[in-house]
């Protein structure tokens, strides 16, 4: 792997294989309660500009299980929040820490941090991308369906950081991606154009959720209003009314299709309660695998 994990688009086939093989091994050790501490004595700094449940807990527990220490750093409590240049912070933290995970708004901030840091930088989420989530999702699909190769993954909803990251993955891996987004809520234009140009199995953007869901192996969704978009909630509910993963939409997918959601979920909005709690849902498995995949990423980078 490269020094940093900023986007799944930066990964090659061997990188994906290495991450998934390592995650599988680490998960087996975890289930067997076997102690394994390759990062003993190492410290991961975790910079948070956004609130978090799964990202914070999985990284903090993960580094602890690998023998290391996590240091929670809120931008409100550091000089970053008072305007210290990213370049200065990155260089100084490189003298203190062995790795950095950043969950923030700007992808450029993460890119800049990585450019000036001498230690690995992991993108824990930005408004543009969420690479750790998509790697965990792909790993989960391999567990549940044997492979993601040749599968049709239907993403229904907002063209947000999750949609962008699925496009980046489809540009690198052999699966078909069908997106369904209302007009005005498309994924990032440049990421989508590049993905359509480079995808091995094809990327199609639909307006009709039924077209995306038809014969899909995976139905995937996310909240209609992400963090920072709460003021748009009412407007977005109107725009996305027909984009719910309901039982009817699920009936159009393949008979062995699975349902995925990166959480937190707004039940009754982007996904029906009977679907997220139903037998085809693998949502909790996705969430668990954040722990194992991120442990693999940390071990490989740190």
């Amino acid at each position: 792997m490269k020094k940093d994990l900023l986007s799944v688009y930066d990964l090659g086939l061997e990188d994906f294989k290495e991450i998934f093989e390592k995650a599988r091994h680490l998960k087996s050790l975890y289930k067997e309660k076997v102690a394994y501490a390759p990062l003993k004595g190492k410290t991961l700094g975790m910079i948070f500009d956004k609130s978090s449940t799964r990202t914070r807990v999985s990284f903090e527990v993960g580094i602890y299980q690998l023998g290391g220490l996590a240091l929670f750093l809120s931008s409100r409590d550091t000089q970053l929040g008072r305007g210290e240049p990213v370049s200065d912070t990155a260089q100084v933290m490189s003298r203190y820490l062995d790795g950095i995970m950043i969950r923030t708004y700007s992808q450029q901030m993460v890119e800049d941090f990585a450019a000036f840091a001498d230690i690995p930088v992991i993108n824990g989420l930005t408004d543009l991308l969420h690479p750790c989530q998509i790697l965990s999702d792909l790993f989960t699909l391999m567990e549940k369906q044997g492979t993601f190769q040749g599968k049709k993954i239907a993403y229904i909803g907002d063209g947000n950081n999750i949609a962008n990251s699925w496009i980046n993955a489809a540009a690198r891996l052999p699966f078909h991606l069908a997106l369904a987004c209302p007009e005005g809520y498309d994924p990032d234009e440049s990421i989508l154009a590049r993905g359509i140009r480079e995808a091995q199995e094809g990327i199609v953007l639909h307006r009709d959720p039924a077209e995306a869901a038809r014969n899909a192996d995976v139905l995937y969704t996310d909240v209609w209003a992400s963090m920072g978009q709460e003021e748009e909630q009412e407007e977005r509910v109107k725009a996305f009314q027909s984009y719910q993963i309901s039982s009817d939409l699920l009936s159009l997918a393949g008979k062995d299709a699975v349902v995925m959601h990166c959480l937190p979920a707004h039940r009754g909005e982007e996904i029906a309660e009977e679907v997220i709690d139903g037998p085809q849902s693998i949502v909790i498995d996705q969430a668990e695998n954040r722990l194992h995949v991120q442990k693999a990423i940390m071990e490989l980078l740190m």
Side-chain angles (χ1 to χ4, degrees):
M1 285 181 68
K2 295 184 176 181
K3 178 176 78 74
D4 309 304
L5 177 63
L6 308 182
S7 166
V8 293
Y9 184 79
D10 298 334
L11 301 175
L13 276 177
E14 290 305 313
D15 297 320
F16 285 105
K17 288 179 184 177
E18 190 176 29
I19 292 168
F20 297 146
E21 286 172 6
K22 176 64 71 175
R24 191 177 298 111
H25 175 63
L26 291 172
K27 186 170 183 177
S28 69
L29 294 178
Y30 175 80
K31 296 297 183 183
E32 294 164 11
K33 302 188 185 317
V34 175
Y36 177 68
L39 299 186
K40 185 177 181 180
K42 293 187 181 290
T43 304
L44 176 76
M46 306 190 307
I47 298 175
F48 283 88
D49 284 330
K50 290 190 172 191
S51 58
S52 171
T53 299
R54 280 152 292 277
T55 298
R56 178 173 179 181
V57 174
S58 56
F59 269 107
E60 193 161 341
V61 170
I63 189 74
Y64 172 76
Q65 290 179 357
L66 293 173
L69 174 71
L71 186 64
F72 176 80
L73 301 165
S74 167
S75 62
R76 294 184 297 274
D77 304 325
T78 65
Q79 299 300 331
L80 272 174
R82 298 178 60 204
E84 180 175 42
V86 168
S87 58
D88 291 350
T89 303
Q91 291 179 82
V92 171
M93 286 193 176
S94 294
R95 306 290 179 96
Y96 299 152
L97 303 167
D98 301 288
I100 289 279
M101 187 282 297
I102 306 177
R103 182 179 172 92
T104 188
Y105 295 91
S106 168
Q107 178 71 19
Q108 191 59 54
M109 186 267 204
V110 176
E111 303 276 352
D112 290 345
F113 208 102
F116 287 100
D118 295 325
I119 55 176
V121 174
I122 301 169
N123 180 356
L125 173 143
T126 66
D127 286 348
L128 186 69
L129 299 174
H130 199 352
C132 292
Q133 179 68 57
I134 268 51
L135 287 167
S136 303
D137 297 337
L138 288 164
F139 179 73
T140 307
L141 283 179
M142 291 171 66
E143 285 188 325
K144 298 298 181 181
Q145 297 191 333
T147 182
F148 49 75
Q149 185 166 344
K151 300 292 186 181
K152 178 183 178 182
I153 297 171
Y155 176 88
I156 313 293
D158 187 27
N160 59 14
N161 51 7
I162 295 292
N164 291 333
S165 294
W166 271 115
I167 293 166
N168 279 340
R172 290 286 181 248
L173 298 170
F175 63 84
H176 176 72
L177 180 63
L179 301 140
C181 307
E183 196 163 352
Y185 297 94
D186 289 349
D188 179 85
E189 186 177 350
S190 61
I191 290 176
L192 180 60
R194 183 181 66 188
I196 291 172
R197 190 170 62 247
E198 299 182 10
Q200 296 182 39
E201 296 286 335
I203 297 173
V204 180
L205 176 61
H206 300 277
R207 295 296 174 215
D208 183 357
E211 287 301 311
R214 190 162 284 114
N215 299 317
D217 299 290
V218 180
L219 292 189
Y220 196 115
T221 192
D222 191 9
V223 294
W224 292 340
S226 299
M227 279 180 285
Q229 298 172 333
E230 288 80 6
E231 292 181 0
E232 304 173 26
Q233 177 71 19
E234 190 175 331
E235 177 186 343
R236 283 172 170 266
V237 167
K238 292 177 183 176
F240 285 91
Q241 273 183 345
S242 63
Y243 287 78
Q244 183 190 83
I245 296 186
S246 61
S247 296
D248 288 342
L249 194 68
L250 180 56
S251 71
L252 299 175
K255 65 181 181 67
D256 296 320
V258 295
V259 175
M260 305 183 82
H261 192 306
C262 56
L263 299 179
H266 292 170
R267 292 159 176 257
E269 289 187 9
E270 74 275 3
I271 191 164
E273 191 140 18
E274 66 270 18
V275 173
I276 195 170
D277 292 331
Q280 289 168 273
S281 171
I282 57 171
V283 170
I284 302 303
D285 298 297
Q286 281 177 267
E288 178 192 343
N289 282 335
R290 290 286 300 279
L291 173 66
H292 309 301
V293 171
Q294 288 164 188
K295 283 169 68 176
I297 291 165
M298 287 188 285
E299 183 180 347
L300 291 168
L301 290 180
M302 295 172 63

